[in-house]
Amino acid sequence: MQTYDGSARTVTANTLPLGLAVQITYNGSDAAPTAAGNYAVTGIVNDVMYQGIASETLVVAKGSQMIAFPAIATQLTTNMLPLDATASSGLAVSYAVTSGPAVLAGNTLTFTTAGLVSIVASQPGDDNWDAAIDATNSFDVAKATATVMLEGLAQTYDGLPKNATATTDPAGLAVDFTYDGGPTTPIAAGTYATTGTIQDAIFEGSATGMLVISKADQTIEFPPIGDQWLTNTVGLAATASRGLAGSFAGGSGPAVIWAGNHLSFTGVGAVSIAATQGGDGNWNAAPAVTRNFQVLDPMLQLEFSAIAVNVREGGVGRFFMRLVSPPQANVVVGVSHNTGDGGITIQSGASLTFTPVNWGTWQVVTLAATDDANIDNETATFRIFALGMAEQQVTATALD
């Protein structure tokens, strides 16, 4: 009995007497077999003095083989891994995935995600070789690293959730975000520690940054306030563009704010009122809006001889005024050129004083007009004013 090894398997013979030549045949052929199998062997003495013959069966057993399958190091999910097991017989080795996230195509492995992979290499033998004992390789597969770039980290409060965004390399990978360690997207103004983590079967990666939601700006709508009588009470109304409650402050003048948004007056004169909104955790303070107006005494009124005066060029024209009721103190009435022809001027009466004694006495304002070369009748207006009194106008026409 012999074992297959790819070479010719020959049989030897001994004779008695010793040393005689023997012709050996295998299944009737002089050629010694190489393949595994059973062969009828005949030995015939080839000698001039002796004869003899013997027959036996030559058994050539299949050869044994082993598989060499080198250890496989940790792989990345993006790798394509060629398998390189070999059989000592030289016969082709086949592979199978016994477990794990791997796909076999021919003798090349690719991976669907991270995990532990086991691969078995087999050689089933043939007519001359017994099957080899399977060889198994197990190894880890790790995700490939991708790059995450956080974006949208500077935003402004508007009452809606503010999500960070990200781009990835390779592009298009899904990214999950956490803000201060939680999944809830922030709304309020503030600074949030933000982490973007890739969610993908093949790639892994993350990036951190600070999402800053800035306070938003707001404005105040505060309608103008017209001139007021001393006896009036004014309800103040201002609205902030973002709906927050505003407040009022007296900048200057004889005014008192009470109950938050009510305004009354302690005297006559110019008043300045400011509306403010100080903001909160999400809104910046609004720029203050200031309204200016005059507080007038309803008892302080003038009577005029005329509110339209003719003035001859090169000559003068006059109008008269007096108070309609006695004042509590002296009232100084001013007269000034307002609009129109500068050739019509105040000759006298630019400042008139009415007292609790002479309040009903007519006082005169004299206007003069320069002579010019044209034939036009120029006009001018004059402003009549006093503290606590509504302004009035007198119109003067220069006659050629």
Side-chain angles (χ1 to χ4, degrees):
M1 182 174 180
Q2 300 190 42
T3 300
Y4 173 82
D5 67 359
S7 62
R9 301 287 89 187
T10 59
V11 174
T12 61
N14 294 317
T15 63
L16 187 64
L18 298 175
L20 299 178
V22 177
Q23 180 182 359
I24 298 175
T25 63
Y26 307 87
N27 287 346
S29 172
D30 291 334
T34 58
N38 295 328
Y39 300 90
V41 178
T42 301
I44 300 174
V45 173
N46 184 12
D47 189 88
V48 294
M49 298 296 295
Y50 294 93
Q51 65 178 2
I53 187 169
S55 296
E56 288 290 348
T57 298
L58 169 63
V59 178
V60 181
K62 289 183 179 183
S64 61
Q65 59 174 333
M66 295 185 301
I67 295 175
F69 194 6
I72 299 174
T74 297
Q75 299 292 309
L76 294 177
T77 47
T78 51
N79 288 359
M80 296 181 65
L81 177 65
L83 300 174
D84 57 356
T86 57
S88 59
S89 64
L91 298 177
V93 176
S94 62
Y95 305 95
V97 177
T98 57
S99 64
V103 176
L104 181 64
N107 67 340
T108 300
L109 279 181
T110 56
F111 308 102
T112 57
T113 189
L116 180 66
V117 173
S118 291
I119 302 295
V120 63
S122 302
Q123 213 306 305
D126 61 6
D127 291 342
N128 295 314
W129 297 98
D130 286 325
I133 297 173
D134 288 346
T136 298
N137 243 325
S138 295
F139 56 93
D140 288 317
V141 178
K143 289 185 179 183
T145 300
T147 303
V148 182
M149 289 76 70
L150 296 182
E151 299 175 350
L153 296 179
Q155 303 198 43
T156 301
Y157 174 81
D158 63 1
L160 299 175
K162 295 301 173 189
N163 293 290
T165 58
T167 57
T168 61
D169 185 12
L173 301 178
V175 178
D176 280 353
F177 296 91
T178 61
Y179 306 91
D180 286 345
T184 303
T185 303
I187 296 174
T191 300
Y192 302 87
T194 302
T195 301
T197 303
I198 289 174
Q199 299 298 317
D200 189 79
I202 301 298
F203 293 96
E204 65 182 0
S206 65
T208 59
M210 302 302 292
L211 169 63
V212 178
I213 303 176
S214 301
K215 291 183 180 183
D217 292 333
Q218 60 173 332
T219 58
I220 294 176
E221 183 178 349
F222 187 18
I225 301 173
D227 291 344
Q228 300 293 314
W229 295 118
L230 177 61
T231 54
N232 287 359
T233 296
V234 179
L236 299 173
T239 56
S241 58
R242 300 308 179 183
L244 301 178
S247 60
F248 302 94
S252 62
V256 176
I257 297 174
W258 52 278
N261 64 344
H262 289 77
L263 185 66
S264 57
F265 308 106
T266 60
V268 298
V271 171
S272 175
I273 299 294
T276 61
Q277 208 304 306
D280 62 7
N282 294 316
W283 300 100
N284 290 317
V289 177
T290 300
R291 297 304 181 196
N292 301 307
F293 58 93
Q294 294 289 326
V295 178
L296 309 176
D297 186 345
M299 302 302 294
L300 194 59
Q301 298 184 46
L302 285 171
E303 180 183 3
F304 293 90
S305 61
I307 59 172
V309 180
N310 292 327
V311 183
R312 181 68 62 181
E313 288 187 1
V316 297
R318 297 178 179 85
F319 65 92
F320 299 85
M321 69 180 81
R322 64 181 179 182
L323 294 179
V324 299
S325 61
Q328 295 181 352
N330 289 353
V331 177
V332 177
V333 177
V335 181
S336 66
H337 187 278
N338 189 25
T339 62
D341 184 28
I344 305 175
T345 60
I346 302 170
Q347 189 177 78
S348 64
S351 179
L352 304 175
T353 301
F354 294 91
T355 71
V357 176
N358 74 349
W359 61 273
T361 301
W362 291 100
Q363 297 195 47
V364 64
V365 176
T366 302
L367 305 177
T370 56
D371 198 0
D372 57 32
N374 63 47
I375 61 172
D376 297 329
N377 293 334
E378 293 85 357
T379 62
T381 61
F382 291 85
R383 175 171 163 257
I384 316 300
F385 58 92
L387 181 64
M389 185 179 70
E391 279 194 13
Q392 295 178 266
Q393 284 196 149
V394 170
T395 300
T397 301
L399 302 178
D400 279 302

